[in-house]
Amino acid sequence: MIDLRSDTVTLPTAAMREAMYNAEVGDDVYHEDPTINRLQEMAAERLGKEDAIFVPSGTMGNASSMLAHAGRGEAVIVGNQSHIYHYEVGGASTLGGSPMVVVQTEPDGMLNPYEIEINISDGSDEHSAPTSLLCIENTHNRCGGAVLNLEQVEQLTGLAHYHGLKVHMDGARVFNAATALGIPASTLVRSVDSVMFCLSKGLSAPVGSMVVGNREFIQRVHRMRKVLGGGMRQAGILAAAGIVALEQMVDRLAEDHETSKQLAYGLADFPQIDINVDRVKTNMVIFSVRNSKLEPLGEEEIMHFLSKAREHGVLMGHIGQGRIRAVTHHGIDSNQITAALIRIRRALIELQV
Ligand SMILES: Cc1ncc(COP(=O)(O)O)c(C=O)c1O
């Protein structure tokens, strides 16, 4: 099976398993796990922030950050295509009583500054919830791994800070963004107040994400992680894999960006595939399938295509609105992309639409 559903399917490397086996551990709720402490120091340093905290998942990292930034009744601005808005069960609103104000996400993952500005409330009008946080996403999942460049990030943080808002970056794949831009991740995030990034996606660790920010903010995230049940005791056994992820798996992300381009260009050669190869910037490829009349397939036909592809040994995901997503990662090399293209072609031929 060539599994292109997500970079979350990556398996821990041999070096990770060995580090996990040998990890020195302690009770992290007492801040006494030396391996977690080391990972947190490394993460803060890599992102150029004062402090960091290890959390079980990206969802908990985003939720605890939003809870730490925005109090009950304070609004959070998010993009309408953001992971936070679509896939995290409304965390800040559900748990923290923070209404989410939703603004349009552009196809390149950017949020419209004008729309943000007109949606900011300073609290002087008693009818509206005062806005305290803007969330941005980089790379952007539903925009096919799109990258916000430094200028775009700083345009948004400049605007938010001018109005007294904090900025949280859902940087689940922030190292993919930095790799694509060819700049250090610390430079890319220098103007944001907090970043969540995942160890468990392209970086291939089995579990875990990090939140970074200033010391006082991270102390508040500790409290929020606790209320969410994320205090994990001897979790250094997991953090050990995270250390290997940061040391050994960041530089190789460029390979995933190459294989995704190989996949995109290969798919573009098939008349049934509708794809914009210029949009492929990192490890994700989004495309749709057309029938013989060059009309887009309906939902049912898409599911049929995906099951045909599965029969031929390629797994991909449907992300709605007729769009199919394929993600490259550590488990996929160039030969597998060549094989995947042959199998997808067979699936298209058998589909007969
Ligand atoms: C952009 C983005 N943010 C957050 C998450 C949540 O991470 P987790 O699955 O670890 O909760 C994901 C997961 O795919 C993601 O793609």
Side-chain angles (χ1 to χ4, degrees), residues 6-8 55-62 82-84 87-88 137-142 170-173 196 198-201 207-209 284 325:
S6 176
D7 47 10
T8 56
V55 289
S57 68
T59 302
M60 190 185 287
N62 282 334
S82 63
H83 196 278
I84 284 177
Y87 300 123
E88 298 182 17
E137 187 172 320
N138 204 12
T139 64
H140 200 291
N141 186 339
R142 282 176 66 87
D170 174 351
R173 299 179 181 83
M196 182 287 292
C198 295
L199 299 160
S200 59
K201 303 203 161 59
V207 178
S209 295
M284 293 187 189
R325 190 185 76 164

Side-chain angles (χ1 to χ4, degrees), residues 11-288:
L11 299 174
T13 63
M16 285 178 188
R17 288 175 190 269
E18 198 184 329
M20 293 171 83
Y21 182 78
N22 292 314
E24 211 187 319
V25 295
D27 190 331
D28 181 52
V29 175
Y30 293 137
H31 301 259
E32 284 174 6
D33 187 303
T35 309
I36 292 189
N37 291 342
R38 185 158 157 246
L39 173 63
Q40 291 174 167
E41 277 164 30
M42 281 176 74
E45 207 220 306
R46 288 294 284 257
L47 275 294
K49 301 291 180 199
E50 271 176 21
D51 208 351
I53 177 170
F54 182 57
V55 289
S57 68
T59 302
M60 190 185 287
N62 282 334
S64 53
S65 298
M66 288 188 282
L67 294 176
H69 278 306
R72 174 165 287 274
E74 292 175 0
V76 176
I77 298 182
V78 297
N80 68 344
Q81 295 298 330
S82 63
H83 196 278
I84 284 177
Y85 180 60
H86 269 274
Y87 300 123
E88 298 182 17
V89 210
S93 310
T94 315
L95 304 163
S98 286
M100 285 198 197
V101 178
V102 184
V103 299
Q104 172 88 18
T105 308
E106 306 296 345
D108 66 351
M110 184 63 174
L111 303 177
N112 183 310
Y114 172 72
E115 222 195 309
I116 293 174
E117 196 152 30
I118 59 172
N119 277 290
I120 292 174
S121 161
D122 64 5
S124 56
D125 179 347
E126 65 180 1
H127 297 90
S128 49
T131 320
S132 56
L133 180 66
L134 169 68
C135 294
I136 60 178
E137 187 172 320
N138 204 12
T139 64
H140 200 291
N141 186 339
R142 282 176 66 87
C143 294
V147 180
L148 292 181
N149 63 34
L150 186 60
E151 204 186 340
Q152 288 173 307
V153 171
E154 299 202 341
Q155 188 183 2
L156 295 175
T157 53
L159 173 69
H161 290 156
Y162 175 79
H163 288 281
L165 273 58
K166 299 287 188 209
V167 180
H168 172 71
M169 182 188 283
D170 174 351
R173 299 179 181 83
V174 73
F175 288 106
N176 293 84
T179 301
L181 294 168
I183 60 175
S186 56
T187 305
L188 184 58
V189 306
R190 66 188 175 190
S191 63
V192 303
D193 300 283
S194 58
V195 186
M196 182 287 292
F197 72 89
C198 295
L199 299 160
S200 59
K201 303 203 161 59
L203 301 185
S204 306
V207 178
S209 295
M210 307 300 300
V211 177
V212 300
N214 72 26
R215 198 148 286 130
E216 186 263 333
F217 166 76
I218 294 296
Q219 265 169 18
R220 279 184 281 132
V221 177
H222 264 279
R223 185 176 285 271
M224 295 307 153
R225 184 185 72 172
K226 189 75 183 133
V227 77
L228 297 173
M232 290 192 294
R233 312 297 175 183
Q234 287 76 25
I237 207 155
L238 302 172
I243 290 173
V244 176
L246 281 182
E247 282 174 343
Q248 299 181 5
M249 304 302 280
V250 174
D251 289 345
R252 64 150 306 284
L253 291 174
E255 293 169 29
D256 300 340
H257 300 180
E258 284 305 309
T259 43
S260 70
K261 283 197 189 74
Q262 182 193 348
L263 178 64
Y265 280 107
L267 288 170
D269 279 343
F270 303 154
Q272 303 94 326
I273 301 285
D274 188 9
I275 183 170
N276 182 347
V277 289
D278 294 334
R279 285 227 178 275
V280 180
K281 304 283 187 205
T282 57
N283 65 335
M284 293 187 189
V285 179
I286 291 195
F287 63 95
S288 48

